[in-house]
Amino acid sequence: MRQLARTLRALREEVGYTQEESAGKLRFSDSKICRIEQGQLPGYHEFLAMLDIYGIVVNDYGEYIRMYERAEEKGWWHAYGLNDRGFVSAEAEASTVRTFQLAHIPGLLQTEAYMRELFTATYLPRQQHELENQVAVRLRRQRRLTDEPLLHLHAVIDESALHRPIGTRDQHHAQLRQVVDRARLANVTIQVIPTELGAHSGQQGSFTVLSFPDPAEAALVYVEQPFTSFCVEKEPEVSAARMVFDHLADLALDEDDSQALVERAATGR
């Protein structure tokens, strides 16, 4: 998926079009071109139209169509009608996820009951099938923590997220116990920023940094807000996000003390 996105971006740049110029020629929105170049799979005929405006002759379509078909096979999430601005496709190809969460437990660590409460609490209502699809996608994403190729997760969580009651008391405690359980995995690092620390830079909002197996492939940052979500790939902004994350990890308790804090919260002590 990411290979296809990089190829389409390279083809656009070779003909000298900006994203806005390409969008105009294709009758796409500017944001749609951006999402495609961040890993969202275009429709097949949209893809062919992109090849056309980028100057690829029909006789040379073969290698690009094969690339599209490989991307389509990998994109299991399309069956769920997910519109995530390309995040799931990027995460599926990532080797490392670094996430800071201010208000809730990170999605890759959530129990099903916890995520259902979060999905139903959003301002914009979801149809039942949409809710079920969101839950199914998140549960499947979590398999990367235990199935090969393993995803390395480093989560820094503000302590306030541990004490926010999501669901029933038993569901909330079950969620905290799952965090402790996942922290025992060799590929998972969980740290907590204690409330007693006071103000810190992470209070401006949550974010996630994705890195990929190929060192030459640039990392990206994903930011989710109540009314939108977006990926950032500009190197200065990605570097800034990495520095903020490292700073927050330095502020947080170490792994052992973080696990002890979560265990105390899970038992109500």
Side-chain angles (χ1 to χ4, degrees):
M1 192 73 68
R2 296 276 296 169
Q3 181 186 9
L4 180 67
R6 290 194 302 272
T7 297
L8 290 173
R9 176 186 296 176
L11 291 175
R12 173 180 60 77
E13 291 174 345
E14 283 177 14
V15 296
Y17 293 156
T18 64
Q19 286 186 340
E20 291 77 13
E21 288 169 336
S22 293
K25 292 177 181 295
L26 291 161
R27 302 295 190 269
F28 290 174
S29 65
D30 294 350
S31 61
K32 181 167 184 173
I33 287 288
C34 182
R35 293 195 301 272
I36 290 171
E37 293 188 358
Q38 289 173 343
Q40 188 176 86
L41 190 70
Y44 181 69
H45 293 291
E46 293 174 333
F47 170 68
L48 295 182
M50 295 177 79
L51 295 182
D52 181 53
I53 71 159
Y54 295 156
I56 305 300
V57 297
V58 174
N59 287 344
D60 293 336
Y61 275 15
E63 64 175 297
Y64 298 103
I65 289 175
R66 286 190 292 273
M67 189 183 301
Y68 181 92
E69 289 171 343
R70 287 195 299 271
E72 196 171 33
E73 289 172 1
K74 288 184 177 180
W76 55 264
W77 49 87
H78 295 301
Y80 297 93
L82 189 67
N83 181 13
D84 68 330
R85 304 292 195 259
F87 175 74
V88 172
S89 61
E91 184 190 74
E93 298 188 30
S95 56
T96 302
V97 170
R98 298 175 178 88
T99 186
F100 169 72
Q101 289 297 333
L102 180 64
H104 55 72
I105 303 300
L108 290 174
L109 302 173
Q110 292 172 5
T111 62
E112 182 174 341
Y114 188 95
M115 67 181 72
R116 283 182 180 278
E117 289 289 330
L118 288 180
F119 287 142
T120 56
T122 58
Y123 175 74
L124 296 175
R126 288 181 171 88
Q127 298 293 326
Q128 186 62 33
H129 75 277
E130 294 174 325
L131 171 63
E132 297 303 327
N133 284 348
Q134 290 277 16
V135 170
V137 168
R138 184 161 293 182
L139 289 172
R140 183 159 176 177
R141 286 170 50 211
Q142 292 180 353
R143 296 182 193 173
R144 288 287 313 279
L145 297 181
T146 54
D147 294 350
E148 296 289 346
L150 287 176
L151 180 68
H152 292 266
L153 172 66
H154 186 173
V156 176
I157 308 169
D158 190 89
E159 185 183 352
S160 60
L162 304 181
H163 300 298
R164 184 180 301 279
I166 306 293
T168 67
R169 179 183 177 87
D170 288 345
Q171 288 171 341
H172 179 64
H173 288 171
Q175 172 60 79
L176 296 179
R177 288 193 295 272
Q178 175 149 303
V179 172
V180 173
D181 181 61
R182 293 294 184 268
R184 297 190 178 103
L185 296 174
N187 54 308
V188 175
T189 299
I190 297 174
Q191 294 180 264
V192 178
I193 297 181
T195 303
E196 64 187 29
L197 186 68
H200 59 79
S201 57
Q203 289 178 296
Q204 297 177 38
S206 305
F207 63 95
T208 299
V209 181
L210 303 180
S211 302
F212 302 92
D214 184 353
E217 185 170 357
L220 64 82
V221 177
Y222 178 72
V223 181
E224 188 172 10
Q225 298 175 338
F227 51 87
T228 190
S229 59
F230 55 91
C231 292
V232 178
E233 293 190 275
K234 293 182 179 178
E235 195 280 331
E237 296 172 355
V238 173
S239 293
R242 280 173 157 166
M243 287 190 290
V244 172
F245 183 85
D246 289 343
H247 173 66
L248 293 171
D250 288 340
L251 292 178
L253 301 173
D254 63 23
E255 291 182 71
D256 290 340
D257 288 343
S258 294
Q259 184 169 332
L261 190 156
V262 179
E263 287 175 338
R264 289 196 298 273
T267 56
R269 290 188 282 121

